[in-house]
Amino acid sequence: MADQSVRMVTAIVLHSVFFLSVCFTGASADCGSDLFITAPKEMEALTGSCLQIPCNFSIKSGEKINSATTTFGVWMIKSSDFFNNPNNVVFNSSGTVSTYPMSFTGDLSEKICTTLFSNLKTKYTHRFFFRVENRPFLATADCDYLEITVKDSPPKPRIEISGDVKEKESVSISCSASTPCPHSPPQLTWNLQPDSHHMMEENTDRTFTTRIQKNITLSHEHDGFIISCSARYPVNEGKDVKTSEERKTLSVSYAPKNTSASISPSCWVSAGSRVNLTCSSRAKPPVSRFTWFKTSRDAPIKVSEGDFYSFNVTDGGVYYCVASNQLGDQTSSEVHLTIEDSPPKPRIEISGDVKEKDSVSISCSASTPCPHSPPQLTWNLQPDSHHMMEENTDRTFTTRIQKNITLSHEQDGFIITCSARYPVNEGKDVKTSEERKTLSVSYAPKNTSVSISPSGRVSAGSRVNLTCSSRAKPPVSRFTWFKTSRDAPIKVSEGDFYSFNVTDGGVYYCVATNQLGDQTSSEIHLTIEDSPPKPRIEISGDVKEKESVSISCSASTPCPHSPPQLTWNLQPDSHHMMEENTDRTFTTKIQKSITLSHEHDGFIINCSARYPVNEGKDVKTSEERKTLSVSYAPKNTSVSISPSGRVPAGSRVNLTCSSRAKPPVSRFTWFKTSRDAPNKVSEGDFYSFNVTDGGVYYCVATNQLGNQTSSEIHLTVEDSPPKPRIEISGDVKEKESVSISCSASTPCSHSPPQLTWNLQPASHLMMEENTDRTFTTTIQKSITLSHEHDGFIITCSARYPVNEGKDVKTSEERKTLSVSYAPKNTSVSISPSGRVSAGSRVNLTCSSRAKPPVSRFTWFKTSRDAPIKVSEGDFYSFNVTDGGVYYCVATNQLGDQTSSEIHLTIEGGVNYPLLGAVLGGIIGIIVLIGLVVFVWRLKSPHPTAHQSQNQPVGETVTTEEEGVHYGEINFSRLRSGPSSVSEQDGGQQEDTLYAQVKVSKAADNVTRTADVPEDLYAQVKRK
């Protein structure tokens, strides 16, 4: 395909001479230049690719090309001034200059200057000028330049859609990409077709475009589909690829889809009730018209338009809607409307102004689908109401009862109940429905009353609160307070709450008003008690230290001829003044001016008023107190140090500054003294730092009224070195590698400390410069952890040389390793131990050592096929039914471990079912042996004494009872070989059970060999 593209491009270059003037730039002869080119004005290219520049040139009239000599083409950058800027030449086809990788693919003798620009870089972005050298003709196209821009990222492809984008229409969709290098065009891929045919097209400006195209017939499902197209440009001679992508969303117009009708309320509805039908549909453009139809025998009947259709039900029926837009329409599925078997509720209506003293008409009406059998209405307003039947405008009927009443406030909240009883089944039955409505009656204020606080007698000068309350609808808009007098009531306040200082008694009342009227409360009597009013303490001026304020104590003086005597704790004998108030009452006052200090803060001023009564014979006293709150600058500023005493160099010291101030201290500042001037070292009430040397520190506490400096604190560095620091980096768990370091502060980098530890005898010391330009000496070791490292104590010592290396001071630090590991030493124990009887209780316990602790214990029992999981938990208790081999698995988040096996063995005397089965088998075998012996004796002679004596002694059995035979059952694992009944084999025949059977045949006591049938044993071995 690439070869085909090259041939096509070459043919185009060789045979195309003229460009369309609309797409190419070309200067006219008016420019004054002798040379003109026709080429694109601007071109973009991609780094690592090439650029083909389509180019033709022409010369000024009167000039000509000498065909006898060779024509050379020259490309220059920046400026067309060839003679003054010869270094601007980047390519000359004569071979003298080839700074840029360019070559002419056009025939210069034919005035075709098409150029191939290869291996592009961003630095090749310039304005280019073309020059022709055909001696004696030498000229530069001064007026025609070419702007070339080389970019690192390729241009995005372009997605175009031609045709009418609506359903059922065929459209052509194309994706095209600029192709500046036709010899290496981009590869286009998209999600419309996996393998699309590529086409390369020459544009009107003789540049090239690569295109893929597909024709599709649209459907509504294409709407919203996102077309994605990628262009992959080969660069660096095809070794690499640069990609760009474009997306476009299809917007397809279509006729209505998914048209449906819904009903509310759903299912059954009562006759006369309201039904809402809703039509919905999906369309683009949106539905322009919804039309409703009701089916009938002849043809559908159009009943409404619009997506919403609401009507009163008279009968059932089948409804549907049709959704339409300019592209078509769609019919919904049908919705069936069925009349339910219960009557509609009646309707209660109130006409008129619903407020007290007004007359209103209240009616209750019921739909009457059958005028010949109307409903019977009853309500709680009137037992026997007159029924009226009315014909409605839609020729349906309604039955009504009505009553006129004059309203009062007592009827507010009254619930009107109305029932409609419909006769059905030709009057044999009745169906009832009911409706309720609450009356909301407006009325003027009612139950207006006044309350007083405090109640009872009050002292003159004290505060009294009066409250007015009333019930009204709408609520009370205004409360007005009055005090009675001899002439007429005096208005004293407005609002439901009236608060004032008592000067004398009196009678008060309130009036509550709304837009319907007003009501006056009952009167309340205010009586003055027999104790004097409290005096009043006032402070004028700025209450802060060093400021002068005036403090006064004043007392109400109802009797100016016998004023009260005032005393206080500010001055023993104060001068009394009597002043006339604006309301022509009198006040007695004492006053003192003082200059405040911080010691006045919290001082309690006490003032007493002694009123003479009974013509001066007696005195009544009242008292008032007030606390001074004085602002002052910081006081008692002090510094504390932690730890106290001498501290080692390199250790941490905490300094704390405290002060008393009002308002509180806003800023604490720390200073360290020096020979020249104090140095500011920190801010804040807390200052923490690592000690490098001793010194004298102090703090300054400041608020808006001033500041105070604390006493100095002396920091002395003790004569012992700081402790080293042990650090562990990494995941501290078994099988993980961690880095452990021990570091020591190195205040003297020329004489660093010597570090030793118990991890490695001779460790390499490293000195590091910290971010604060101090130094630290470090030793380090990487180890792979195991569970045995858990609890290991790392000890590190720092030996500081002092006195020019003559002496040494040592400090030490310790750190314990805490290593996480999977379960270890997992084991199982059994209780009771040894052999156990069938049916007894056995307890198995699993133990293991792990960090973190074991999270799960799992018990298994071995079997021929695979282990069987029998339980979970460190303790497993069960009733024994048979023997077996058990083990447990201990697990935590780091792994698991399996314990050794434990063998559970059942002892022989307890397994009764097995014993019964074995004994039954033995009896059968003995009977069989008896028959064999009986037959053998009939056919064989008795053995002689000589024969008996020749038998080996070890194989004889002497019996004292005639005809005794034994059946042996052995549950132990026996080695293969002949069985014997000698005592020396007794240890191998564990748990042996014998069945003894007496044979009725008489015989003398004889010694017989083991081969005699009468002495055979039946031995059952359990493997």
Side-chain angles (χ1 to χ4, degrees), residues 914-915 917-930 957 959 963-971 974 979-981 989-999 1013-1021:
L914 179 61
L915 178 61
V918 172
L919 290 177
I922 290 171
I923 293 171
I925 292 171
I926 291 173
V927 172
L928 180 62
I929 291 172
V957 176
T959 62
V964 177
H965 301 273
Y966 295 92
E968 178 185 308
I969 305 172
N970 192 338
F971 290 92
L974 297 179
S979 178
S980 175
V981 295
Q989 298 177 355
E990 300 174 2
D991 299 332
T992 303
L993 301 178
Y994 294 91
Q996 184 180 41
V997 181
K998 289 186 178 181
V999 182
E1014 288 89 341
D1015 296 332
L1016 293 178
Y1017 293 87
Q1019 186 182 58
V1020 180
K1021 297 180 181 180

Side-chain angles (χ1 to χ4, degrees), residues 24 40 43 52 54 179 201-209:
F24 284 74
M43 296 190 77
Q52 180 169 291
T179 308
E201 301 169 347
E202 183 177 16
N203 304 318
T204 55
D205 61 353
R206 294 189 63 194
T207 59
F208 290 86
T209 298

Side-chain angles (χ1 to χ4, degrees), residues 34-62:
D34 292 336
L35 179 66
F36 309 95
I37 67 168
T38 307
K41 186 72 173 177
E42 297 176 351
M43 296 190 77
E44 285 187 4
L46 182 63
T47 55
S49 184
C50 74
L51 173 65
Q52 180 169 291
I53 305 170
C55 177
N56 283 70
F57 67 88
S58 60
I59 60 176
K60 187 176 181 180
S61 177

Side-chain angles (χ1 to χ4, degrees), residues 164-185:
D164 199 0
V165 188
K166 60 185 180 182
E167 69 175 347
K168 301 179 184 178
E169 293 290 333
S170 179
V171 295
S172 176
I173 306 176
S174 66
C175 177
S176 58
S178 173
T179 308
C181 182
H183 302 288
S184 186

